[in-house]
Amino acid sequence: MERKYESVLGELASRSINFFISKSSKAKVLDVEDSLQRVLLRAQVIIDEATGRHITSQAVLQQLDMLRDAMYHGCYILDTFRCQSHDEHDANDQVVSHSFALSKVNSLKGFCSSSRNTHILEQLQDALDNLSYMILDVKELVVFLTSYPRLYRQPYSMHLLLHNCMFGRQMEAELVLNFLLQARPHGAEELEVLPIVGPGRVGKSTLVANVCKDERVRDQFSEILFLSDHDFRDEKLMHLWEGCAKKFQNCTAIKDVRVLVVVEVAGDFNEGEWKRLYSSSKQFLTSGSKIIITSRSKKITKVGTRSALMLKYLSDEAYWYFFKTLAFGSTDPMMHPRMACLAMEIARVLQRPFITGTITAGLMRDNFDTHFWCKLLAFLRGFVKWHVSRFGEDPSNCLNQNKPAHLRRMIRTSEAIMVYGWYECRSQEEVPKMRLQNLMYGRAKPSGRFETLAWSSPIPSYYSYIFACEIEDLKNTAVKRKRS
């Protein structure tokens, strides 16, 4: 009896200690969370103000880029902590009873929870300190921002801004602008070339198209030519220069005007074809004309007269900020903690491609319902797992490399969408009426081989992405494989 009494007292004492430790650590965590939220709002104000202004200083842009990365990281840490807290709260609500038989396990859980809270507190504190120091460093910069001219009026909803503007490339855009607007060194005879390298669907064409839209670039160059690697043949180049000369009939030759040539290399870089293009360009283009070449291949870095601009995919933190803003629209995510956790999990499953993220976020915003988001998350998890187990590769990787991929249908689970390939289209007349989201998540019933519109970009270069597809019956396919 005495031993039982002592064990009960020991259990009560350990629980009391764990209770006070968890309470004190939770109070500290909540204080840091509140402070981090306030600092994030302050950083958001600075970045929003800077985004709406035309900044030419490379040092200012670099400082703002560092502040933006710190803000993305702080948002990611804060949202991750809130999702964990929400999951723990749900788990505690599901606990019905405790027994003395599990007292040791519960005691260990308490200590594990305490150490985990300490780790979370350290992460939140590091994010808070980093962002606070960043804001102190840009204190003078905030004063200088008012001296830069405005680019546009700030929309009422942030998601409208992200939907209609290039996201996360302000620093890179200014570097390209600096190359185009900078005067040519005196006595230089070579045409200046800027290589832009990056993986597929990272935004190389979008970056160049948005820079070329700038009024200063339009004033600097009389003509902007967009070429592909299919235009490198001699007869095509001669026809191109002749057509360009006809546009400037008031000039004695095309050498009287400055031309910007944008070359997009879709396939492997052919050095021999490039030399023909460059030699032809030197012959027909005047001093002050420039070339931008984009490719996935790093081989183009050796043809540049400037250091190559290397584009990378967004970080997890930046992608989450982008995805969350588009998915919630003008709704405050803090008012829907359960949906914020679901959105974070969906963003992780998508693995950071711009097109897929934009399509999925728009679908979630149009179906703002917890039940639908839960169903969507379960579907995406199952679909990615199925594709990897069956084909050994994530579907987004297949689509990025323009390889055949299989897309599952959420409503008609016995059917898959076989994507043979896809292409980019500029003309609105050639865009199919059927949309990919209706095909994957709706009840569309196409037959045979068909084309579907995956996404139309609302910003330059205004591409529409078209998939060539066919519906595949998974049951019939499995029966055929068994028979064979």
Side-chain angles (χ1 to χ4, degrees), residues 60-307:
V60 172
L61 287 169
Q62 189 173 0
Q63 205 168 8
L64 284 170
D65 204 45
M66 294 169 62
L67 177 63
R68 190 180 289 108
D69 288 341
M71 185 193 72
Y72 293 153
H73 178 71
C75 287
Y76 187 80
I77 293 295
L78 185 61
D79 289 337
T80 302
F81 161 70
R82 286 171 174 169
C83 287
Q84 290 177 352
S85 300
H86 187 268
D87 291 342
E88 288 179 1
H89 179 72
D90 287 349
N92 291 333
D93 288 344
Q94 294 172 4
V95 175
V96 179
S97 62
H98 298 275
S99 63
F100 282 109
L102 298 176
S103 61
K104 291 184 179 180
V105 177
N106 290 336
S107 178
L108 287 173
K109 283 184 179 179
F111 284 116
C112 290
S113 178
S114 176
S115 62
R116 184 173 57 187
N117 286 339
T118 303
H119 180 63
I120 292 173
L121 178 61
E122 290 175 354
Q123 287 185 318
L124 289 172
Q125 188 65 54
D126 288 343
L128 173 62
D129 293 341
N130 187 32
L131 196 54
S132 298
Y133 291 141
M134 286 280 185
I135 291 176
L136 286 175
D137 289 341
V138 300
K139 198 172 182 180
E140 294 82 5
L141 181 147
V142 175
V143 179
F144 295 139
L145 283 179
T146 56
S147 63
Y148 292 104
R150 287 194 174 276
L151 290 173
Y152 50 78
R153 294 184 62 185
Q154 181 79 1
Y156 178 76
S157 296
M158 188 63 185
H159 80 278
L160 296 178
L161 173 64
L162 294 191
H163 183 73
N164 293 292
C165 293
M166 184 173 56
F167 176 75
R169 300 296 185 199
Q170 187 180 15
M171 180 75 175
E172 291 84 351
E174 289 298 333
L175 288 173
V176 179
L177 274 170
N178 183 54
F179 163 75
L180 295 177
L181 301 180
Q182 192 175 51
R184 188 183 182 191
H186 182 69
E189 296 181 359
E190 299 294 321
L191 279 174
E192 290 191 279
V193 180
L194 174 66
I196 301 179
V197 184
R201 311 279 76 79
V202 77
K204 301 183 292 294
S205 300
T206 302
L207 172 65
V208 175
N210 276 268
V211 170
C212 292
K213 186 183 175 184
D214 193 287
E215 292 182 1
R216 293 167 298 162
V217 175
R218 296 286 182 181
D219 294 338
Q220 181 81 359
F221 298 96
S222 305
E223 178 77 358
I224 300 177
L225 300 177
F226 291 90
L227 307 180
S228 68
D229 42 8
H230 301 295
D231 299 320
F232 285 10
R233 297 176 182 175
D234 293 337
E235 62 272 14
K236 284 192 174 183
L237 289 175
M238 289 299 298
H239 179 72
L240 180 71
W241 301 138
E242 289 174 2
C244 194
K246 290 179 181 179
K247 291 183 180 180
F248 303 96
Q249 295 178 358
N250 295 331
C251 303
T252 56
I254 195 173
K255 290 187 176 183
D256 294 327
V257 296
R258 287 191 297 267
V259 178
L260 169 60
V261 181
V262 179
V263 181
E264 184 174 346
V265 180
D268 191 25
F269 178 69
N270 188 308
E271 192 169 354
E273 291 179 347
W274 163 256
K275 287 180 178 179
R276 285 201 299 272
L277 172 67
Y278 188 72
S279 176
S280 175
S281 301
K282 284 178 62 178
Q283 180 182 354
F284 283 92
L285 301 184
T286 186
S287 175
S289 298
K290 298 188 179 184
I291 300 176
I292 295 177
I293 178 171
T294 67
S295 175
R296 300 182 186 184
S297 173
K298 293 183 179 180
K299 295 178 183 178
I300 67 170
T301 56
K302 58 185 178 182
V303 304
T305 60
R306 295 286 187 93
S307 298

Side-chain angles (χ1 to χ4, degrees), residues 314-351:
L314 294 178
S315 64
D316 291 332
E317 295 86 351
Y319 183 75
W320 164 237
Y321 181 87
F322 171 78
F323 184 80
K324 178 181 68 171
T325 305
L326 290 185
F328 282 89
S330 56
T331 306
D332 186 0
M334 292 182 64
M335 302 298 294
H336 304 274
R338 172 61 178 159
M339 299 182 77
C341 296
L342 291 170
M344 180 168 270
E345 287 300 316
I346 291 173
R348 286 170 179 161
V349 173
L350 295 177
Q351 297 187 347

